[in-house]
Amino acid sequence: MSEISLTTKADTFSSSLIDLTGLDSDDLTKAITDLGLPSFRAKQIWRWVWRHGITRFDDMTDLGKPVREQLSQLMMVTRPTITSRQKSQDGTIKWLLRFADGNEAETVYIPDDDRGTLCVSSQVGCTLTCTFCHTGTQRLVRNLTVSEITGQVLIAMDELGEWPATHDGRRLTNIVMMGMGEPLFNYDHVSKALNIIMSGEGIGLSKRRITLSTSGIVPEIARTGAELGVNLAISLHATNDALRDVLVPINRKYPLKDLIKACRDYPGLSNARRITWEYVMLDGVNDTDEDAHALLKLIRGIPSKINLIPFNPWPGSDYKRSTDDRIAHFASIVMKAGYASPVRTPRGEDILAACGQLKTASERLRKSQISAQNEAKDTLKDETAMSVSDN
Ligand code: SAH
Ligand code: SF4
C-alpha cells in the first residue's frame, strides 16, 4: 500500500471529527469503547492506521460495514498537505508540509548506504535564537500537535512506499528530532508522537533508532531518558559559557555545568548508547586546536559521539564555515582521542535541506503569498477608488 493520500487537514479544518493520527493506543481504546464497541476493535483500527497506512475506514476490511460507517461519521485519519517536494542530487528529499491552520514545517529524508533517516520538526519556527541558525530567525512559532508530528512520519512512509511497516528492506530506518524547533519545549506532544511511532503493533521503530536533539533544556533531559529512552544529541557548539551564551543563548538559563551533569546522569548510557555532541564549525569562532582539546576535556568520562557540523550559511548570516583544512585538523584531534569519523557531511544543500537551513523555502513562499495578497489588496483598493470616483 504505497498510495499517496493527500487528504488535507485544511479540508477538514472546521471538522469536529477525532483525528486518529493524534491518539496513542490508550486514547484510541477509550474512544472506541466510549462508542460501545469492544476494545479489540481499537487493536484492529490501530493496525490499519499504523501498520498498513490506511486512511479510509472503508478499506479497513475486517470491520463490519455498520462499524465503518459509524466510525467515519466520528473520526478521520489525516495527513498534512504536501506543499512542495524537492529532491536533492544526493537523494535527500525535503517536504514542505502545511497544517490545518496554514502553518508549515519541513521534513527531510536522508538516504545513506546503511540507513534512511527522517529529520522531523517539533515546532513551527523556534523560540530560541541561536545566532548561527536560520530557523531561530523565524518569527512565527507554535508547537506542533501530536498528529502534526506523526503526520510527518506518515507522509514519508506513504511517499517512500513503506507500507506495511513490517516489509523487508525498509527505507526509513531512523528518526532524528532535528528539524525545526526545540523538541524539549514541546515535550508532551513529542513524547506521545514518538511512543506511537515506536509501538510494536504499528510502525515499530526501536528507541535505539531515534535521536532527539536539544539545545540543552536541562530540566527535561532526565525524563527524556527515563520515559522515552531514545538517544540524546546535544547542540553544544561551544565549550565555555561566555561563547555558548552568545551562540546558544538558552545557555544563560541552563549553563554548561548543569547541562554536562544532566548528560552524565542520562539513564542507560553505555558504549552502545552514547550522547551525541553536535558542534557547528564556525570560522574563527570555535574552531581552534584549543577548542578541540577543551571539547574533549568537557565530555571526558561520558560515553560520547562527536558530530562536527560544517556551518551551513543562509542569507543574512554573519558566520562563515571553517575551512576544510581547519575542520580536518579539528577532526584529527578528536579522532586521536578515540572518536570515529566525526564530520557530518552536509546533505541536501542544493535544496536548502541541510542543518540550520530549514525555513528558507517556506519563508520565501510565505513572503510571495504575502506580496500576492498585498497586490490583491492594492487591486481592490484601486478598484474601490475607481468605483468611488465613478459614482
Ligand atoms: N532545536 C534543536 C534541534 C534542531 S537543530 C537543537 O538545537 O538541537 C539541528 C542541529 O543543527 C542542531 O545541532 C543545530 O545547532 C544545528 N544547526 C543549526 N543551524 C545550523 C547551521 N546554520 N549550520 C549547521 N548546523 C546548524
Ligand atoms: Fe532553535 Fe535548535 Fe535553531 Fe537553536 S539551533 S534556534 S534551538 S532550532
Side-chain angles (χ1 to χ4, degrees), residues 37-57:
L37 295 170
S39 61
F40 75 86
R41 292 279 180 225
K43 286 209 170 71
Q44 290 173 310
I45 297 165
W46 183 267
R47 287 175 72 83
W48 285 119
V49 175
W50 297 109
R51 175 64 55 87
H52 295 283
I54 296 292
T55 57
R56 288 156 31 102
F57 290 105

Side-chain angles (χ1 to χ4, degrees), residues 123 125-137 179-182 214-215 235 237 247-249 356:
Q123 298 182 306
C126 186
T127 49
L128 300 179
T129 49
C130 304
T131 43
F132 54 87
C133 174
H134 204 194
T135 307
T137 65
M180 296 165 73
E182 170 46 61
T214 177
S215 55
S235 291
H237 310 312
L247 298 180
V248 187

Side-chain angles (χ1 to χ4, degrees), residues 92-365:
T92 300
I93 306 173
K94 181 170 78 170
W95 294 278
L96 177 61
L97 302 179
R98 191 170 63 235
F99 306 114
D101 65 354
N103 270 305
E104 292 168 333
E106 280 158 329
T107 308
V108 180
Y109 173 72
I110 308 147
D112 274 304
D113 291 345
D114 60 337
R115 66 179 62 192
T117 305
L118 192 70
C119 180
V120 172
S121 293
S122 57
Q123 298 182 306
V124 174
C126 186
T127 49
L128 300 179
T129 49
C130 304
T131 43
F132 54 87
C133 174
H134 204 194
T135 307
T137 65
Q138 188 163 329
R139 278 159 304 144
L140 196 66
V141 180
R142 75 162 171 82
N143 282 337
L144 293 182
T145 63
V146 177
S147 72
E148 289 166 345
I149 298 168
T150 61
Q152 298 173 60
V153 180
L154 291 168
I155 285 278
M157 301 273 294
D158 291 346
E159 294 253 304
L160 296 169
E162 287 289 81
W163 305 114
T166 43
H167 80 107
D168 284 341
R170 268 169 79 150
R171 296 170 70 195
L172 199 172
T173 61
N174 292 63
I175 286 183
V176 292
M177 294 302 303
M178 290 186 189
M180 296 165 73
E182 170 46 61
L184 294 189
F185 275 165
N186 188 15
Y187 181 85
D188 290 347
H189 293 169
V190 167
S191 64
K192 192 162 175 174
L194 290 181
N195 273 319
I196 292 171
I197 288 155
M198 290 191 282
S199 159
E201 298 297 309
I203 296 175
L205 210 67
S206 146
K207 63 184 178 185
R208 274 174 235 97
R209 294 186 169 275
I210 299 179
T211 300
L212 182 148
S213 173
T214 177
S215 55
I217 312 304
V218 169
E220 304 292 351
I221 288 180
R223 69 165 164 159
T224 301
E227 295 172 8
L228 286 173
V230 296
N231 302 312
L232 186 68
I234 301 288
S235 291
L236 187 66
H237 310 312
T239 56
N240 61 73
D241 284 323
L243 180 58
R244 198 163 189 271
D245 281 352
V246 175
L247 298 180
V248 187
I250 194 71
N251 191 69
R252 292 181 210 148
K253 188 156 186 198
Y254 306 117
L256 277 169
K257 190 166 134 298
D258 300 347
L259 177 59
I260 298 297
K261 178 167 187 329
C263 291
R264 213 176 275 288
D265 295 344
Y266 195 68
L269 281 191
S270 68
N271 267 346
R273 182 144 176 260
R274 306 179 202 200
I275 305 271
T276 301
W277 304 96
E278 297 166 284
Y279 193 94
V280 64
M281 297 298 295
L282 301 170
D283 184 37
V285 174
N286 64 355
D287 62 350
T288 63
D289 289 1
E290 291 72 48
D291 290 317
H293 290 294
L295 172 60
L296 296 172
K297 189 168 168 215
L298 190 69
I299 64 172
R300 191 170 294 153
I302 305 176
S304 297
K305 286 184 217 168
I306 295 176
N307 240 227
L308 304 178
I309 316 175
F311 170 65
N312 293 309
W314 37 273
S317 60
D318 290 334
Y319 297 103
K320 282 206 314 214
R321 179 184 291 185
S322 307
T323 62
D324 289 351
D325 276 1
R326 189 80 299 269
I327 296 175
H329 203 261
F330 196 108
S332 73
I333 295 174
V334 164
M335 285 196 280
K336 233 179 254 162
Y339 300 96
S341 59
V343 182
R344 190 190 287 176
T345 318
R347 298 292 302 270
E349 276 186 299
D350 51 336
I351 56 168
L352 287 168
C355 293
Q357 291 184 316
L358 299 185
K359 117 158 191 180
T360 313
S362 50
E363 266 312 86
R364 203 182 293 136
L365 198 81

